[in-house]
Amino acid sequence: MNWLSDNVNLLSLIGAAAIIIITGFVAGKYIKQMKTDKSTGELTGDDWDGIGEYKNPLPMGWAIMFLLTTIWAIWYFLAGYPLNAYSQIGEYNEEVQAYNDRFESKWSNADKETLKQMGKGVFFVQCAPCHGITGDGINGKAQDLTAWATEDFIVHTIVNGTKGSNYPLGEMPAGLLDEESAKAVAAYMVEKISKTGQSKNPDLVATGEALWATCSACHGEDGKGMEGSAPDLTTYGHAEFVVEVLNRGKVGVIGNMPAFNDGRLTGIQKQAVGEYILSLTE
Amino acid sequence: MFHWLEKNPFFFAVGVFVVIAYAGIVEILPDFAERARPVEGRKPYTVLQLAGRDVYIKDSCNACHSQLIRPFKSETDRYGMYSLSGEFAYDRPFLWGSKRTGPDLMRVGNYRTTDWHENHMLDPTSIVPGSIMPAYKHMFNNVADIETAYAEAYTVKKVFNVPYDQPDMPKLGTWDEAQKAVLEEAKPIVEAMKSQEVKEAYARGEIKEIVAIIAYLNSLK
């Protein structure tokens, strides 16, 4: 009898038995009363086809409850509902506030691997509709993120120009440098400016440094973009740059990317998307 | 206590009326007073957007797509801010929809763009694998009905005092002015599109349905 060891089962059974027994007694009592009882008491004098009505006073408990309910109803009518009505949006705001606080405290120190996994989830919902599930840009319908920020990609950007993310200094025209010079600048950028790793052409770094003057006109000597006039290239190839693009949106050569600054993504989620996109190039 | 009320049906009816009318005042009047007024910064649709909205209705987009974001975190995460009733002030009729076979489109202008819509209407599965939405190729051939859209805007301006032609609000003007404004508004959309047919039609002064519906979808914010 394993199921009897469960307290709830046992209680339910006892309750069921009690109900059956009590029902039997009560039914028996009233059936007996119907057989033997004689009616006594004062009648109201109303007569409905031979059926009369006793003059019974209101039961005290019932009268008190009725009065209290009436008082409560008046309060609810005048003050309770109009002034303290339930607000779905109020509850939403509280819930979201509580959730965001928990989210913030739980993930504020998340490591890169955690952020990457979080970013993957966000990417599938918010980014994949244009950039594709694999991030490859679906045959040129959006930017191919699997190549983003690689050295070849930098060369391609320098040679073909880019419309940028609506910075004060405007778009970067195509053909500022030829392909060979662009390679050198890309090597310099990878090693010294954005510091994303080792260049494929380490011997070109010095040449790139000499050619950097072309870039520094807008991006500044240190590549920091002259305080927001142009993109900060020291963050290029890092999650911070992705966050910047998410915040500003992008008018690209392929199409427009809307800004994601309407509160749909938190700062941590944007950072996470950045980490995930970087992992796509690996 | 209320014996006399039961004996006087007239006063009983008056009592019932008072109770129900009071509930009506508490429930309905606040919405008329404030919440259903146009949200600050909300503008009526331009003629081109209205033409797109007509295409949206004609092709029954609202049968599969809702335009109402409920205040749940799962919805606001995906679709953006929940809807306010004042945001629908210029929607005649509103297109809340009742079933989401596809996603909600209330704020689709915030996260989809002209080029995306062009690809998507031509062949949905080319960018959304597994999508069951049919292609809407005919939108690239049919010419948008600008005249009806103008008539609509003109009607709501005259009958419902929708604030066209007021400071910071869309201009409606005469039919000739409206036609020019529509071409002007369609220009950046046509430029952002790839379809040669649409561009050629635009050069002839024709606006295809796809341009109008993209203008409408981009305006949903």
Side-chain angles (χ1 to χ4, degrees), chain A residues 66 77-78 81-82 88-89 92-93 96 99-100 125-126 128-130 133 138 141 254-256 258-259 262 264, chain B residues 1-2 19 22-23 26-27 71-73 76-80 82 84 110-113 115-116 119 126-127 129:
Chain A
F66 182 71
F77 247 58
L78 298 178
Y81 180 81
Q88 194 181 22
I89 285 177
Y92 167 85
N93 289 340
V96 168
Y99 177 85
N100 286 347
V125 177
Q126 305 286 6
C130 296
I133 289 166
I138 323 178
K141 290 193 178 69
I254 305 173
N256 290 2
D262 61 349
R264 249 175 308 152
Chain B
M1 187 160 48
F2 295 114
V19 170
Y22 177 76
V26 170
E27 274 287 328
F72 303 136
K73 189 153 190 338
T76 54
D77 272 359
R78 185 170 172 194
Y79 302 125
Y82 52 77
L84 301 170
N110 281 340
Y111 47 90
R112 296 287 185 271
T113 51
D115 49 304
W116 191 89
N119 289 325
S126 74
I127 33 178

Side-chain angles (χ1 to χ4, degrees), chain A:
Chain A
M1 298 294 261
N2 196 21
W3 51 278
L4 267 187
S5 62
D6 188 286
N7 283 344
V8 176
N9 283 352
L10 200 62
L11 269 178
S12 309
L13 277 180
I14 294 172
I19 288 171
I20 292 171
I21 293 165
I22 293 169
T23 308
F25 273 113
V26 171
K29 174 178 179 279
Y30 279 114
I31 290 168
K32 197 173 149 208
Q33 205 172 332
M34 275 191 278
K35 282 179 184 158
T36 59
D37 231 15
K38 290 274 175 290
S39 50
T40 50
E42 203 184 336
L43 290 168
T44 54
D46 291 325
D47 182 68
W48 293 284
D49 294 341
I51 299 171
E53 185 188 354
Y54 288 124
K55 252 188 191 164
N56 285 334
L58 274 181
M60 184 56 85
W62 190 93
I64 290 171
M65 285 311 293
F66 182 71
L67 205 65
L68 287 180
T69 314
T70 309
I71 293 168
W72 176 84
I74 291 170
W75 169 83
Y76 187 74
F77 247 58
L78 298 178
Y81 180 81
L83 303 181
N84 304 310
Y86 167 77
S87 157
Q88 194 181 22
I89 285 177
E91 184 169 330
Y92 167 85
N93 289 340
E94 280 167 26
E95 263 180 31
V96 168
Q97 181 66 40
Y99 177 85
N100 286 347
D101 290 347
R102 245 184 304 132
F103 185 89
E104 203 68 28
S105 64
K106 188 170 179 189
W107 303 110
S108 56
N109 293 314
D111 58 24
K112 282 204 168 181
E113 190 51 38
T114 315
L115 284 178
K116 213 166 84 185
Q117 289 308 318
M118 183 195 292
K120 191 174 180 179
V122 178
F123 186 91
F124 281 161
V125 177
Q126 305 286 6
C127 315
C130 296
H131 291 283
I133 289 166
T134 55
D136 63 355
I138 323 178
N139 301 325
K141 290 193 178 69
Q143 185 66 265
D144 179 359
L145 295 176
T146 58
W148 181 71
T150 58
E151 212 172 325
D152 293 338
F153 189 84
I154 299 174
V155 174
H156 182 266
T157 306
I158 296 173
V159 173
N160 294 291
T162 169
K163 290 193 178 178
S165 295
N166 201 16
Y167 283 93
L169 283 175
E171 61 182 88
M172 177 164 115
L176 280 180
L177 293 170
D178 59 38
E179 182 128 11
E180 280 311 304
S181 320
K183 267 187 190 159
V185 169
Y188 173 69
M189 195 170 134
V190 166
E191 293 229 333
K192 302 286 184 209
I193 301 287
S194 55
K195 301 198 178 97
T196 43
Q198 293 287 316
S199 166
K200 307 192 288 190
N201 308 311
D203 46 322
L204 287 177
V205 173
T207 328
E209 187 166 11
L211 288 165
W212 184 253
T214 315
C215 313
S216 67
C218 294
H219 292 288
E221 200 58 45
D222 52 4
K224 288 206 167 135
M226 308 209 289
E227 282 148 20
S229 312
D232 179 356
L233 294 182
T234 57
T235 61
Y236 191 76
H238 300 278
E240 289 77 23
F241 198 88
V242 178
V243 175
E244 186 75 3
V245 174
L246 285 171
N247 284 335
R248 303 183 75 107
K250 192 167 164 74
V251 181
V253 179
I254 305 173
N256 290 2
M257 171 170 151
F260 283 76
N261 54 6
D262 61 349
R264 249 175 308 152
L265 298 181
T266 65
I268 295 170
Q269 282 176 318
K270 287 176 189 164
Q271 189 82 14
V273 171
E275 294 295 346
Y276 178 68
I277 288 174
L278 287 181
S279 75
L280 290 174
T281 53
E282 282 158 12

